[in-house]
Amino acid sequence: MKRLAVSITLLICFVTALMAANGSAGKGIKWELKKGVLTISGNGPMKNFGKDRPWYHPDVKKLVVEEGVTSIGDNLCYGSKNLKEVELPNTLESIGNSAFQSCDDLTYISLPSSLKSIGKNAFQGCQNLSDIHIPYGVEDISDRAFYNCTSLIELDLPISLKRIGNETFAKCSNLVTARLAQGLESVGDKAFDECRILANLSGLPEFINTDTFNKYSLNRAAVKNYWDRKEEMAAKYGNASGTNVANKSEYAKVEPSDVDTDIPFTGKDNKNTFALIIANENYGKLANVPFAINDGEAFARYCHRTLGIPEKNVLLYKDASYGSMREAFGDLRLINDFAGDDMKVIVYYAGHGAPDDATLDPYLIPVDAGRINKDVCIPLASIYQELGSMKLQSAIVFLDACFSGGTRENKMVMADARAIARVPKKQGLTGKVAVLSATSDEQTALPYHDKGHGMFTYYLLKRLQETKGNVTLSDLKEYITKEVSRNSSIVNRKEQTPTFTVSNGASAEWDSWKLTE
């Protein structure tokens, strides 16, 4: 009997040791593993580990690095195949070599804006890592950091980035879109080797050209498309040779602002909400809309990361033609036919709006329009009617546009337009629809140059950032109206007062609506 009691005691001690353990992770840094959660706390850099760490790595299901820790040591979570969640502090400056290598269950990680460097093999072989935002501030991504991350589809690199190492994104076989950093100074050998379907490539640095294609192993079609477009831009700016056009961007160049570099990740699952985002910046025959692309892309990131809307539910159209805009709303209708009345919709538009000269009916203007009428533009009334007729829990519309005929740069949309702002005709709403628009009557939707956004969009994003998306439409309306009205007068020396309209069907409930479920 005594032997049995001793055996039970030893078993309890062994199980307890597995469930809870702790130790040193560097000078002033300690680690604790308890019930699957590895917590690192203290102040300063973490020490490097070998592949044999003092804890049993399959037990690690979640990593929490607390504020004060400035680095993640080598091999910290190497081979932790059950690791699903990672929380990193805003004090973190570097991620060590092989820190998350072969973490098979890791699908998403939010990197803090304090981060400066990502070590060799840091995320190598994380084959389910499908979403990663590399923040502004990162300057170096070392060799094979994302090697064989086969679930990565889209990649945005910040303009702070100076160096990409050898084979950094090699064998990311499902990578379709890569937006490279304008400030890149070096790209290592085979950086994108075997990215066989990479077709959308932008921001290619000047030192990478067709002659060095093989060295960098970029998709041949992507490079060709880039250089063809570069030639078009050169011709447009009067330089048919294609040289000296590095500063002639087709989009307004912007430094990331505070709302771009720290987008909260909430982990919400807002699967019944769909976001339709149209960002029209580059107009062939009309004045451009500075920062509209940045507006739309940033709002899309907030939809996914903060509001928890699945990426497949975020429909982003950039520089949309008439046909594309019609198709976008047609897709929304088709989705509703299948999703039914559990569906919620968020519509965001940044671009030109203007009234018809004769009727004063307001229109959204596609990038291929050369005049303003119902044959080549999208009547705002038709969009409201479409939303009102759908089977929806709610539809929330954000319009960073004005309908007076003005532009963000305080000019007229059409070069030969009358230099008089016109008051567009009011549009009625049906169903369960609420609309928050950037301006009132004859006002202009103005930019916030220092932030690289429209004034209206900046404060929309700011409130989502501050509240992590947990905000009612009533609060959002009050905040945006107050901040835009106040700061437009200070920054732009012009009045801009957002307006709010709601349908009768939503009048009793809209103030409690949230963009998250």
PDB file of all heavy atoms in Angstrom, residues 111-145:
ATOM      1  N   LEU A 111       2.729  41.100 -36.106  1.00  0.00           N
ATOM      2  CA  LEU A 111       4.030  41.613 -35.704  1.00  0.00           C
ATOM      3  C   LEU A 111       3.894  43.058 -35.232  1.00  0.00           C
ATOM      4  O   LEU A 111       3.235  43.864 -35.885  1.00  0.00           O
ATOM      5  CB  LEU A 111       5.015  41.527 -36.872  1.00  0.00           C
ATOM      6  CG  LEU A 111       5.215  40.120 -37.466  1.00  0.00           C
ATOM      7  CD1 LEU A 111       6.184  40.175 -38.642  1.00  0.00           C
ATOM      8  CD2 LEU A 111       5.703  39.145 -36.413  1.00  0.00           C
ATOM      9  N   PRO A 112       4.523  43.428 -34.122  1.00  0.00           N
ATOM     10  CA  PRO A 112       4.359  44.782 -33.574  1.00  0.00           C
ATOM     11  C   PRO A 112       5.110  45.830 -34.382  1.00  0.00           C
ATOM     12  O   PRO A 112       6.097  45.530 -35.079  1.00  0.00           O
ATOM     13  CB  PRO A 112       4.938  44.656 -32.159  1.00  0.00           C
ATOM     14  CG  PRO A 112       5.945  43.561 -32.271  1.00  0.00           C
ATOM     15  CD  PRO A 112       5.378  42.585 -33.268  1.00  0.00           C
ATOM     16  N   SER A 113       4.678  47.070 -34.269  1.00  0.00           N
ATOM     17  CA  SER A 113       5.273  48.161 -35.035  1.00  0.00           C
ATOM     18  C   SER A 113       6.679  48.514 -34.556  1.00  0.00           C
ATOM     19  O   SER A 113       7.408  49.225 -35.242  1.00  0.00           O
ATOM     20  CB  SER A 113       4.382  49.407 -34.965  1.00  0.00           C
ATOM     21  OG  SER A 113       4.172  49.788 -33.615  1.00  0.00           O
ATOM     22  N   SER A 114       7.077  47.993 -33.396  1.00  0.00           N
ATOM     23  CA  SER A 114       8.439  48.247 -32.879  1.00  0.00           C
ATOM     24  C   SER A 114       9.489  47.363 -33.539  1.00  0.00           C
ATOM     25  O   SER A 114      10.685  47.610 -33.386  1.00  0.00           O
ATOM     26  CB  SER A 114       8.448  47.994 -31.367  1.00  0.00           C
ATOM     27  OG  SER A 114       7.984  46.671 -31.081  1.00  0.00           O
ATOM     28  N   LEU A 115       9.057  46.350 -34.287  1.00  0.00           N
ATOM     29  CA  LEU A 115       9.978  45.351 -34.841  1.00  0.00           C
ATOM     30  C   LEU A 115      10.901  45.961 -35.887  1.00  0.00           C
ATOM     31  O   LEU A 115      10.473  46.720 -36.755  1.00  0.00           O
ATOM     32  CB  LEU A 115       9.171  44.205 -35.455  1.00  0.00           C
ATOM     33  CG  LEU A 115       9.950  42.955 -35.858  1.00  0.00           C
ATOM     34  CD1 LEU A 115      10.528  42.267 -34.625  1.00  0.00           C
ATOM     35  CD2 LEU A 115       9.049  41.998 -36.626  1.00  0.00           C
ATOM     36  N   LYS A 116      12.194  45.573 -35.842  1.00  0.00           N
ATOM     37  CA  LYS A 116      13.193  46.080 -36.787  1.00  0.00           C
ATOM     38  C   LYS A 116      13.764  44.976 -37.691  1.00  0.00           C
ATOM     39  O   LYS A 116      14.103  45.236 -38.837  1.00  0.00           O
ATOM     40  CB  LYS A 116      14.357  46.746 -36.028  1.00  0.00           C
ATOM     41  CG  LYS A 116      13.954  47.962 -35.202  1.00  0.00           C
ATOM     42  CD  LYS A 116      13.565  49.132 -36.089  1.00  0.00           C
ATOM     43  CE  LYS A 116      13.383  50.399 -35.264  1.00  0.00           C
ATOM     44  NZ  LYS A 116      12.257  50.309 -34.293  1.00  0.00           N
ATOM     45  N   SER A 117      13.893  43.753 -37.173  1.00  0.00           N
ATOM     46  CA  SER A 117      14.540  42.705 -37.959  1.00  0.00           C
ATOM     47  C   SER A 117      13.928  41.343 -37.698  1.00  0.00           C
ATOM     48  O   SER A 117      13.438  41.067 -36.590  1.00  0.00           O
ATOM     49  CB  SER A 117      16.048  42.659 -37.666  1.00  0.00           C
ATOM     50  OG  SER A 117      16.278  42.285 -36.316  1.00  0.00           O
ATOM     51  N   ILE A 118      13.970  40.499 -38.753  1.00  0.00           N
ATOM     52  CA  ILE A 118      13.457  39.127 -38.685  1.00  0.00           C
ATOM     53  C   ILE A 118      14.615  38.205 -39.072  1.00  0.00           C
ATOM     54  O   ILE A 118      15.200  38.348 -40.148  1.00  0.00           O
ATOM     55  CB  ILE A 118      12.268  38.936 -39.635  1.00  0.00           C
ATOM     56  CG1 ILE A 118      11.120  39.879 -39.246  1.00  0.00           C
ATOM     57  CG2 ILE A 118      11.788  37.484 -39.619  1.00  0.00           C
ATOM     58  CD1 ILE A 118       9.957  39.865 -40.223  1.00  0.00           C
ATOM     59  N   GLY A 119      14.973  37.268 -38.212  1.00  0.00           N
ATOM     60  CA  GLY A 119      16.168  36.462 -38.376  1.00  0.00           C
ATOM     61  C   GLY A 119      16.057  35.361 -39.411  1.00  0.00           C
ATOM     62  O   GLY A 119      14.992  35.095 -39.982  1.00  0.00           O
ATOM     63  N   LYS A 120      17.175  34.692 -39.640  1.00  0.00           N
ATOM     64  CA  LYS A 120      17.240  33.596 -40.610  1.00  0.00           C
ATOM     65  C   LYS A 120      16.288  32.468 -40.216  1.00  0.00           C
ATOM     66  O   LYS A 120      16.188  32.108 -39.041  1.00  0.00           O
ATOM     67  CB  LYS A 120      18.666  33.040 -40.682  1.00  0.00           C
ATOM     68  CG  LYS A 120      19.694  34.007 -41.243  1.00  0.00           C
ATOM     69  CD  LYS A 120      21.078  33.365 -41.263  1.00  0.00           C
ATOM     70  CE  LYS A 120      22.118  34.334 -41.826  1.00  0.00           C
ATOM     71  NZ  LYS A 120      23.478  33.728 -41.826  1.00  0.00           N
ATOM     72  N   ASN A 121      15.598  31.939 -41.209  1.00  0.00           N
ATOM     73  CA  ASN A 121      14.714  30.787 -41.018  1.00  0.00           C
ATOM     74  C   ASN A 121      13.605  31.025 -39.992  1.00  0.00           C
ATOM     75  O   ASN A 121      13.012  30.061 -39.481  1.00  0.00           O
ATOM     76  CB  ASN A 121      15.514  29.545 -40.588  1.00  0.00           C
ATOM     77  CG  ASN A 121      16.708  29.273 -41.468  1.00  0.00           C
ATOM     78  OD1 ASN A 121      17.818  29.604 -41.098  1.00  0.00           O
ATOM     79  ND2 ASN A 121      16.504  28.701 -42.638  1.00  0.00           N
ATOM     80  N   ALA A 122      13.340  32.292 -39.685  1.00  0.00           N
ATOM     81  CA  ALA A 122      12.436  32.594 -38.567  1.00  0.00           C
ATOM     82  C   ALA A 122      11.085  31.905 -38.695  1.00  0.00           C
ATOM     83  O   ALA A 122      10.542  31.386 -37.718  1.00  0.00           O
ATOM     84  CB  ALA A 122      12.251  34.105 -38.449  1.00  0.00           C
ATOM     85  N   PHE A 123      10.515  31.906 -39.908  1.00  0.00           N
ATOM     86  CA  PHE A 123       9.218  31.276 -40.130  1.00  0.00           C
ATOM     87  C   PHE A 123       9.303  30.170 -41.191  1.00  0.00           C
ATOM     88  O   PHE A 123       8.285  29.789 -41.761  1.00  0.00           O
ATOM     89  CB  PHE A 123       8.196  32.328 -40.558  1.00  0.00           C
ATOM     90  CG  PHE A 123       7.912  33.367 -39.509  1.00  0.00           C
ATOM     91  CD1 PHE A 123       8.616  34.563 -39.479  1.00  0.00           C
ATOM     92  CD2 PHE A 123       6.962  33.141 -38.522  1.00  0.00           C
ATOM     93  CE1 PHE A 123       8.369  35.521 -38.512  1.00  0.00           C
ATOM     94  CE2 PHE A 123       6.707  34.086 -37.542  1.00  0.00           C
ATOM     95  CZ  PHE A 123       7.409  35.280 -37.535  1.00  0.00           C
ATOM     96  N   GLN A 124      10.487  29.694 -41.443  1.00  0.00           N
ATOM     97  CA  GLN A 124      10.666  28.678 -42.489  1.00  0.00           C
ATOM     98  C   GLN A 124       9.773  27.462 -42.225  1.00  0.00           C
ATOM     99  O   GLN A 124       9.689  26.944 -41.110  1.00  0.00           O
ATOM    100  CB  GLN A 124      12.123  28.218 -42.549  1.00  0.00           C
ATOM    101  CG  GLN A 124      12.356  27.115 -43.575  1.00  0.00           C
ATOM    102  CD  GLN A 124      13.812  26.686 -43.656  1.00  0.00           C
ATOM    103  OE1 GLN A 124      14.692  27.454 -43.293  1.00  0.00           O
ATOM    104  NE2 GLN A 124      14.064  25.490 -44.116  1.00  0.00           N
ATOM    105  N   GLY A 125       9.106  27.021 -43.287  1.00  0.00           N
ATOM    106  CA  GLY A 125       8.307  25.814 -43.187  1.00  0.00           C
ATOM    107  C   GLY A 125       7.009  25.960 -42.423  1.00  0.00           C
ATOM    108  O   GLY A 125       6.370  24.954 -42.104  1.00  0.00           O
ATOM    109  N   CYS A 126       6.595  27.196 -42.117  1.00  0.00           N
ATOM    110  CA  CYS A 126       5.266  27.404 -41.510  1.00  0.00           C
ATOM    111  C   CYS A 126       4.242  27.322 -42.642  1.00  0.00           C
ATOM    112  O   CYS A 126       3.784  28.346 -43.165  1.00  0.00           O
ATOM    113  CB  CYS A 126       5.197  28.750 -40.800  1.00  0.00           C
ATOM    114  SG  CYS A 126       6.251  28.857 -39.336  1.00  0.00           S
ATOM    115  N   GLN A 127       3.908  26.108 -43.019  1.00  0.00           N
ATOM    116  CA  GLN A 127       3.161  25.892 -44.258  1.00  0.00           C
ATOM    117  C   GLN A 127       1.700  26.297 -44.180  1.00  0.00           C
ATOM    118  O   GLN A 127       1.033  26.377 -45.208  1.00  0.00           O
ATOM    119  CB  GLN A 127       3.294  24.429 -44.693  1.00  0.00           C
ATOM    120  CG  GLN A 127       4.736  24.074 -45.032  1.00  0.00           C
ATOM    121  CD  GLN A 127       4.867  22.761 -45.760  1.00  0.00           C
ATOM    122  OE1 GLN A 127       3.889  22.105 -46.086  1.00  0.00           O
ATOM    123  NE2 GLN A 127       6.096  22.369 -46.039  1.00  0.00           N
ATOM    124  N   ASN A 128       1.184  26.573 -42.986  1.00  0.00           N
ATOM    125  CA  ASN A 128      -0.190  27.043 -42.858  1.00  0.00           C
ATOM    126  C   ASN A 128      -0.279  28.533 -42.557  1.00  0.00           C
ATOM    127  O   ASN A 128      -1.367  29.059 -42.333  1.00  0.00           O
ATOM    128  CB  ASN A 128      -0.925  26.249 -41.769  1.00  0.00           C
ATOM    129  CG  ASN A 128      -1.192  24.825 -42.193  1.00  0.00           C
ATOM    130  OD1 ASN A 128      -1.784  24.583 -43.241  1.00  0.00           O
ATOM    131  ND2 ASN A 128      -0.736  23.863 -41.404  1.00  0.00           N
ATOM    132  N   LEU A 129       0.870  29.196 -42.547  1.00  0.00           N
ATOM    133  CA  LEU A 129       0.885  30.641 -42.298  1.00  0.00           C
ATOM    134  C   LEU A 129       0.353  31.351 -43.542  1.00  0.00           C
ATOM    135  O   LEU A 129       1.038  31.470 -44.553  1.00  0.00           O
ATOM    136  CB  LEU A 129       2.301  31.104 -41.988  1.00  0.00           C
ATOM    137  CG  LEU A 129       2.470  32.580 -41.611  1.00  0.00           C
ATOM    138  CD1 LEU A 129       1.752  32.883 -40.308  1.00  0.00           C
ATOM    139  CD2 LEU A 129       3.950  32.933 -41.482  1.00  0.00           C
ATOM    140  N   SER A 130      -0.881  31.820 -43.471  1.00  0.00           N
ATOM    141  CA  SER A 130      -1.529  32.394 -44.649  1.00  0.00           C
ATOM    142  C   SER A 130      -1.660  33.906 -44.579  1.00  0.00           C
ATOM    143  O   SER A 130      -1.984  34.544 -45.579  1.00  0.00           O
ATOM    144  CB  SER A 130      -2.931  31.789 -44.831  1.00  0.00           C
ATOM    145  OG  SER A 130      -3.737  32.043 -43.697  1.00  0.00           O
ATOM    146  N   ASP A 131      -1.401  34.484 -43.416  1.00  0.00           N
ATOM    147  CA  ASP A 131      -1.624  35.926 -43.271  1.00  0.00           C
ATOM    148  C   ASP A 131      -0.564  36.509 -42.355  1.00  0.00           C
ATOM    149  O   ASP A 131      -0.473  36.136 -41.189  1.00  0.00           O
ATOM    150  CB  ASP A 131      -3.021  36.172 -42.697  1.00  0.00           C
ATOM    151  CG  ASP A 131      -3.405  37.640 -42.708  1.00  0.00           C
ATOM    152  OD1 ASP A 131      -2.640  38.452 -43.254  1.00  0.00           O
ATOM    153  OD2 ASP A 131      -4.471  37.976 -42.178  1.00  0.00           O
ATOM    154  N   ILE A 132       0.240  37.394 -42.892  1.00  0.00           N
ATOM    155  CA  ILE A 132       1.224  38.079 -42.053  1.00  0.00           C
ATOM    156  C   ILE A 132       1.373  39.514 -42.539  1.00  0.00           C
ATOM    157  O   ILE A 132       1.463  39.769 -43.742  1.00  0.00           O
ATOM    158  CB  ILE A 132       2.582  37.354 -42.057  1.00  0.00           C
ATOM    159  CG1 ILE A 132       3.521  37.992 -41.020  1.00  0.00           C
ATOM    160  CG2 ILE A 132       3.215  37.318 -43.437  1.00  0.00           C
ATOM    161  CD1 ILE A 132       4.676  37.118 -40.628  1.00  0.00           C
ATOM    162  N   HIS A 133       1.327  40.449 -41.611  1.00  0.00           N
ATOM    163  CA  HIS A 133       1.520  41.872 -41.920  1.00  0.00           C
ATOM    164  C   HIS A 133       2.869  42.287 -41.376  1.00  0.00           C
ATOM    165  O   HIS A 133       3.115  42.256 -40.172  1.00  0.00           O
ATOM    166  CB  HIS A 133       0.411  42.707 -41.282  1.00  0.00           C
ATOM    167  CG  HIS A 133       0.647  44.181 -41.367  1.00  0.00           C
ATOM    168  ND1 HIS A 133       0.770  44.842 -42.566  1.00  0.00           N
ATOM    169  CD2 HIS A 133       0.805  45.121 -40.394  1.00  0.00           C
ATOM    170  CE1 HIS A 133       0.993  46.125 -42.336  1.00  0.00           C
ATOM    171  NE2 HIS A 133       1.016  46.311 -41.027  1.00  0.00           N
ATOM    172  N   ILE A 134       3.788  42.642 -42.273  1.00  0.00           N
ATOM    173  CA  ILE A 134       5.114  43.091 -41.865  1.00  0.00           C
ATOM    174  C   ILE A 134       5.052  44.606 -41.674  1.00  0.00           C
ATOM    175  O   ILE A 134       4.839  45.343 -42.628  1.00  0.00           O
ATOM    176  CB  ILE A 134       6.171  42.699 -42.904  1.00  0.00           C
ATOM    177  CG1 ILE A 134       6.199  41.162 -43.033  1.00  0.00           C
ATOM    178  CG2 ILE A 134       7.550  43.226 -42.504  1.00  0.00           C
ATOM    179  CD1 ILE A 134       7.089  40.648 -44.127  1.00  0.00           C
ATOM    180  N   PRO A 135       5.199  45.086 -40.458  1.00  0.00           N
ATOM    181  CA  PRO A 135       4.907  46.498 -40.165  1.00  0.00           C
ATOM    182  C   PRO A 135       5.995  47.452 -40.646  1.00  0.00           C
ATOM    183  O   PRO A 135       7.150  47.060 -40.876  1.00  0.00           O
ATOM    184  CB  PRO A 135       4.810  46.512 -38.638  1.00  0.00           C
ATOM    185  CG  PRO A 135       5.712  45.402 -38.207  1.00  0.00           C
ATOM    186  CD  PRO A 135       5.582  44.333 -39.254  1.00  0.00           C
ATOM    187  N   TYR A 136       5.602  48.705 -40.781  1.00  0.00           N
ATOM    188  CA  TYR A 136       6.568  49.772 -41.065  1.00  0.00           C
ATOM    189  C   TYR A 136       7.545  49.847 -39.896  1.00  0.00           C
ATOM    190  O   TYR A 136       7.156  49.847 -38.728  1.00  0.00           O
ATOM    191  CB  TYR A 136       5.841  51.107 -41.223  1.00  0.00           C
ATOM    192  CG  TYR A 136       6.778  52.259 -41.484  1.00  0.00           C
ATOM    193  CD1 TYR A 136       7.333  52.448 -42.742  1.00  0.00           C
ATOM    194  CD2 TYR A 136       7.113  53.147 -40.470  1.00  0.00           C
ATOM    195  CE1 TYR A 136       8.203  53.495 -42.989  1.00  0.00           C
ATOM    196  CE2 TYR A 136       7.982  54.194 -40.694  1.00  0.00           C
ATOM    197  CZ  TYR A 136       8.521  54.371 -41.960  1.00  0.00           C
ATOM    198  OH  TYR A 136       9.393  55.402 -42.200  1.00  0.00           O
ATOM    199  N   GLY A 137       8.811  49.897 -40.202  1.00  0.00           N
ATOM    200  CA  GLY A 137       9.852  49.889 -39.182  1.00  0.00           C
ATOM    201  C   GLY A 137      10.813  48.736 -39.381  1.00  0.00           C
ATOM    202  O   GLY A 137      11.990  48.828 -39.028  1.00  0.00           O
ATOM    203  N   VAL A 138      10.333  47.636 -39.965  1.00  0.00           N
ATOM    204  CA  VAL A 138      11.207  46.496 -40.253  1.00  0.00           C
ATOM    205  C   VAL A 138      12.195  46.896 -41.357  1.00  0.00           C
ATOM    206  O   VAL A 138      11.800  47.386 -42.408  1.00  0.00           O
ATOM    207  CB  VAL A 138      10.391  45.262 -40.691  1.00  0.00           C
ATOM    208  CG1 VAL A 138      11.320  44.146 -41.170  1.00  0.00           C
ATOM    209  CG2 VAL A 138       9.536  44.764 -39.528  1.00  0.00           C
ATOM    210  N   GLU A 139      13.479  46.674 -41.106  1.00  0.00           N
ATOM    211  CA  GLU A 139      14.521  47.063 -42.056  1.00  0.00           C
ATOM    212  C   GLU A 139      15.218  45.873 -42.696  1.00  0.00           C
ATOM    213  O   GLU A 139      15.783  45.998 -43.779  1.00  0.00           O
ATOM    214  CB  GLU A 139      15.558  47.948 -41.347  1.00  0.00           C
ATOM    215  CG  GLU A 139      14.974  49.258 -40.829  1.00  0.00           C
ATOM    216  CD  GLU A 139      16.012  50.107 -40.115  1.00  0.00           C
ATOM    217  OE1 GLU A 139      17.158  49.618 -39.925  1.00  0.00           O
ATOM    218  OE2 GLU A 139      15.689  51.245 -39.729  1.00  0.00           O
ATOM    219  N   ASP A 140      15.177  44.722 -42.029  1.00  0.00           N
ATOM    220  CA  ASP A 140      15.929  43.573 -42.521  1.00  0.00           C
ATOM    221  C   ASP A 140      15.119  42.293 -42.342  1.00  0.00           C
ATOM    222  O   ASP A 140      14.629  42.016 -41.235  1.00  0.00           O
ATOM    223  CB  ASP A 140      17.255  43.464 -41.759  1.00  0.00           C
ATOM    224  CG  ASP A 140      18.130  42.341 -42.283  1.00  0.00           C
ATOM    225  OD1 ASP A 140      17.936  41.187 -41.848  1.00  0.00           O
ATOM    226  OD2 ASP A 140      19.006  42.606 -43.120  1.00  0.00           O
ATOM    227  N   ILE A 141      14.975  41.533 -43.435  1.00  0.00           N
ATOM    228  CA  ILE A 141      14.385  40.192 -43.376  1.00  0.00           C
ATOM    229  C   ILE A 141      15.449  39.235 -43.880  1.00  0.00           C
ATOM    230  O   ILE A 141      15.837  39.276 -45.047  1.00  0.00           O
ATOM    231  CB  ILE A 141      13.107  40.074 -44.221  1.00  0.00           C
ATOM    232  CG1 ILE A 141      12.076  41.130 -43.790  1.00  0.00           C
ATOM    233  CG2 ILE A 141      12.499  38.686 -44.077  1.00  0.00           C
ATOM    234  CD1 ILE A 141      10.801  41.108 -44.614  1.00  0.00           C
ATOM    235  N   SER A 142      15.931  38.371 -43.015  1.00  0.00           N
ATOM    236  CA  SER A 142      17.130  37.588 -43.311  1.00  0.00           C
ATOM    237  C   SER A 142      16.837  36.348 -44.159  1.00  0.00           C
ATOM    238  O   SER A 142      15.681  36.052 -44.498  1.00  0.00           O
ATOM    239  CB  SER A 142      17.818  37.173 -42.005  1.00  0.00           C
ATOM    240  OG  SER A 142      18.314  38.308 -41.328  1.00  0.00           O
ATOM    241  N   ASP A 143      17.911  35.614 -44.460  1.00  0.00           N
ATOM    242  CA  ASP A 143      17.852  34.460 -45.354  1.00  0.00           C
ATOM    243  C   ASP A 143      16.778  33.453 -44.930  1.00  0.00           C
ATOM    244  O   ASP A 143      16.693  33.088 -43.746  1.00  0.00           O
ATOM    245  CB  ASP A 143      19.203  33.738 -45.362  1.00  0.00           C
ATOM    246  CG  ASP A 143      20.338  34.619 -45.835  1.00  0.00           C
ATOM    247  OD1 ASP A 143      20.064  35.742 -46.305  1.00  0.00           O
ATOM    248  OD2 ASP A 143      21.503  34.183 -45.723  1.00  0.00           O
ATOM    249  N   ARG A 144      15.988  33.043 -45.909  1.00  0.00           N
ATOM    250  CA  ARG A 144      15.004  31.966 -45.758  1.00  0.00           C
ATOM    251  C   ARG A 144      14.002  32.221 -44.632  1.00  0.00           C
ATOM    252  O   ARG A 144      13.427  31.277 -44.080  1.00  0.00           O
ATOM    253  CB  ARG A 144      15.709  30.619 -45.528  1.00  0.00           C
ATOM    254  CG  ARG A 144      16.572  30.165 -46.703  1.00  0.00           C
ATOM    255  CD  ARG A 144      17.315  28.881 -46.402  1.00  0.00           C
ATOM    256  NE  ARG A 144      18.231  29.046 -45.283  1.00  0.00           N
ATOM    257  CZ  ARG A 144      19.422  29.642 -45.351  1.00  0.00           C
ATOM    258  NH1 ARG A 144      19.877  30.090 -46.512  1.00  0.00           N
ATOM    259  NH2 ARG A 144      20.173  29.774 -44.276  1.00  0.00           N
ATOM    260  N   ALA A 145      13.779  33.474 -44.290  1.00  0.00           N
ATOM    261  CA  ALA A 145      12.871  33.789 -43.181  1.00  0.00           C
ATOM    262  C   ALA A 145      11.474  33.232 -43.409  1.00  0.00           C
ATOM    263  O   ALA A 145      10.805  32.794 -42.468  1.00  0.00           O
ATOM    264  CB  ALA A 145      12.815  35.296 -42.958  1.00  0.00           C
TER     265      ALA A 145
END
